[in-house]
Amino acid sequence: MSEKRVSFGGRMGVLLVAAGSAVGLGNIWRFPCELGQNGGGAFLLIYFICAIVIGMPIMLAEFSLGRMGQSNVVGALKNVSGSNKYKWIGYSGVLCAFLIMGFYGVVCGWTLEYVYQAVVFGFSSMTPTDLSTAFTAFSVQPVRPILWTILFLSINCAVVLLGVKNGIERSSKILMPMLLIIIIILGCRSLTLPGGMDGLKFLFKPDFSKVTSEVVLNAMGQAFFSLSLGMGCMTTYGSYIGKDINLGESVVQVTVLDSLVSLLAAIAIFPAVFSLGINPSAGPELAFITLPNVFNQIPGGYIWAILFFVLLSIAALTSTISLLEVITAFMSEEWKLSRKKAAIIGTATIISIAAFASLSLGDLSDWKIFGMSFFDLLDNVTARIIMPLTGLAISLFVAWKIEQTRLKDEITNQGTKKAAYFKAFVFILRYITPLAIIIVFINQLLSWF
Ligand code: TRP
């Protein structure tokens, strides 16, 4: 099987596909939302520390594990360890893929509604309050958001069926740079709005009095989420990375690109939030109400709005593809289903979860679990619990259970690439990353008592 496995085409292909997975709604929708709810600047700083100290080593661990195991996340753990003892880590990853898709799929549906609205109505006659009311009115509807979600997830399923290589790799090459350009333009406009500087202060003047264990946990969760870590996504993708690719280099590139997009999204959103008097902790609707306001203030806003939401949908799609690929690779390789059956069964299951998540914002909003809607529960349980713990397990597995010479061979491509950082990497993965995750957890646990 190992010879036949498809691989992405070259360094650029790997970068774009992995960055395609990382860059998504997590950067443009979730990041600003978390930033707003966790007090701004200090969160930004802690987030970047988490991305570097926890995120990058785990991404390298996941890539190496996947490429070494040449299989889906469960299979990779089995192949590399030669035993069934560690398969549970992979199962928890696959479960996590379903749960993430359950709420992510809903937001993907919203992006399509906004493409539609941008084309048909434009947002130009709407005030900030109108936009906010319109968003809420839409998201609490029982049927319409679910239909968009079904459409989105069906497209997602179709692309995964086309094969990862042809569909995504080619489109990412044009679309990712376009997304960057648009966010930069929006950022420039947002910055020059009257009062926009308050937004920058909110972003770059850390107020450490607002830092609680909760804020740190959320920043760590966001790092896992945004870098697609802690559930076997990068392990699965790692199995498609050619043996000649420098894994360490790819990790740095993906992390830098992903962080850049998050930062740019925050710069596009917060100055506008302050200038227009929107509440920065507005929550999930933040990106959907703020940016249409910015489009209203730029010449050719109608076109920018369409372009932005189309690209946002596509950024979301390259992420959902990676999530569905975890499920598809797992079901087809472990359960011996055809890829087609696996992708379709996976998608149908996700649609059922997503339908409940969508309804939990409207008709089922009285239904609370631990005081949260089902939508928020899925988001919180995955980012704050399952991903950090699975990530912890993966890093402990890679750092302690794989022989160091074998790991070094994988990372240096059998000694053909330099990896001067190898010793530091193993040290960080063995001690620093686990300790950091555990401390954040214990702190959070203590704060509950
Ligand atoms: N990282 C993506 C985003 O920021 C979402 C995503 C894709 C993801 N694959 C993942 C999140 C795996 C967690 C785990 O939008």
Side-chain angles (χ1 to χ4, degrees), residues 21-22 24-27 100 104 225-226 228-229 231 233 319 322-323 387:
S21 166
L25 298 174
N27 305 67
I100 293 175
Y104 203 85
F225 190 88
S226 190
S228 304
L229 300 174
M231 43 86 48
C233 193
S319 298
S322 72
L323 285 156
M387 283 159 39

Side-chain angles (χ1 to χ4, degrees), residues 102-113:
F103 75 92
Y104 203 85
V106 175
V107 186
C108 290
W110 298 348
T111 64
L112 290 186
E113 162 81 18

Side-chain angles (χ1 to χ4, degrees), residues 179-425:
L179 184 70
L180 269 180
I181 294 171
I182 293 205
I183 302 189
I184 293 174
I185 293 172
L186 288 179
C188 294
R189 172 68 265 215
S190 182
L191 279 176
T192 47
L193 289 172
M197 282 303 142
D198 285 340
L200 273 198
K201 264 192 220 139
F202 177 75
L203 272 182
F204 294 113
K205 263 209 169 152
D207 174 359
F208 289 102
S209 67
K210 294 215 178 98
V211 178
T212 58
S213 64
E214 178 97 8
V215 170
V216 180
L217 181 67
N218 286 334
M220 182 171 84
Q222 174 63 22
F224 274 100
F225 190 88
S226 190
L227 295 169
S228 304
L229 300 174
M231 43 86 48
C233 193
M234 292 307 189
T235 311
T236 307
Y237 269 17
S239 72
Y240 305 121
I241 296 182
K243 292 283 182 194
D244 55 334
I245 301 292
N246 187 337
L247 296 180
E249 203 177 85
S250 301
V251 166
V252 175
Q253 290 166 344
V254 173
T255 310
V256 168
L257 202 61
D258 186 71
S259 306
L260 185 69
V261 176
S262 289
L263 194 61
L264 288 171
I267 293 177
I269 287 180
F270 284 99
V273 162
F274 281 83
S275 170
L276 300 162
I278 297 167
N279 177 5
S281 56
E285 72 258 43
L286 192 60
F288 289 89
I289 53 176
T290 315
L291 290 173
N293 279 303
V294 182
F295 301 129
N296 281 345
Q297 319 251 353
I298 46 182
Y302 176 74
I303 301 292
W304 289 116
I306 296 174
L307 263 179
F308 175 78
F309 283 111
V310 168
L311 288 172
L312 185 61
S313 311
I314 289 162
L317 185 64
T318 52
S319 298
T320 52
I321 286 166
S322 72
L323 285 156
L324 185 59
E325 182 58 28
V326 171
I327 295 169
T328 307
F330 163 74
M331 290 215 253
S332 65
E333 291 167 9
E334 299 301 311
W335 293 350
K336 310 287 178 242
L337 296 178
S338 66
R339 268 188 72 90
K340 189 169 171 189
K341 263 200 194 135
I344 291 174
I345 295 175
T347 300
T349 314
I350 293 165
I351 288 176
S352 331
I353 305 175
F356 279 106
S358 184
L359 289 173
S360 79
L361 299 174
D363 286 0
L364 297 182
S365 60
D366 291 338
W367 168 43
K368 293 271 189 266
I369 311 161
F370 301 120
M372 279 179 263
S373 65
F374 183 55
F375 181 100
D376 286 336
L377 183 81
L378 291 174
D379 184 347
N380 278 303
V381 164
T382 50
R384 290 157 48 125
I385 302 174
I386 307 183
M387 283 159 39
L389 289 182
T390 312
L392 175 66
I394 292 179
S395 51
L396 291 176
F397 175 84
V398 171
W400 292 98
K401 293 292 164 195
I402 301 178
E403 242 175 81
Q404 283 206 29
T405 45
R406 198 169 156 216
L407 185 61
K408 189 164 185 184
D409 277 350
E410 189 61 53
I411 286 175
T412 59
N413 301 347
Q414 317 302 324
T416 57
K417 294 268 189 297
K418 280 206 209 91
Y421 57 81
F422 182 75
K423 277 216 163 73
F425 162 66

Side-chain angles (χ1 to χ4, degrees), residues 392 396 428-441:
L392 175 66
L396 291 176
I428 293 176
L429 208 57
R430 280 193 163 180
Y431 303 104
I432 310 290
T433 309
L435 211 64
I437 298 176
I438 291 166
I439 291 176
V440 175
F441 264 104

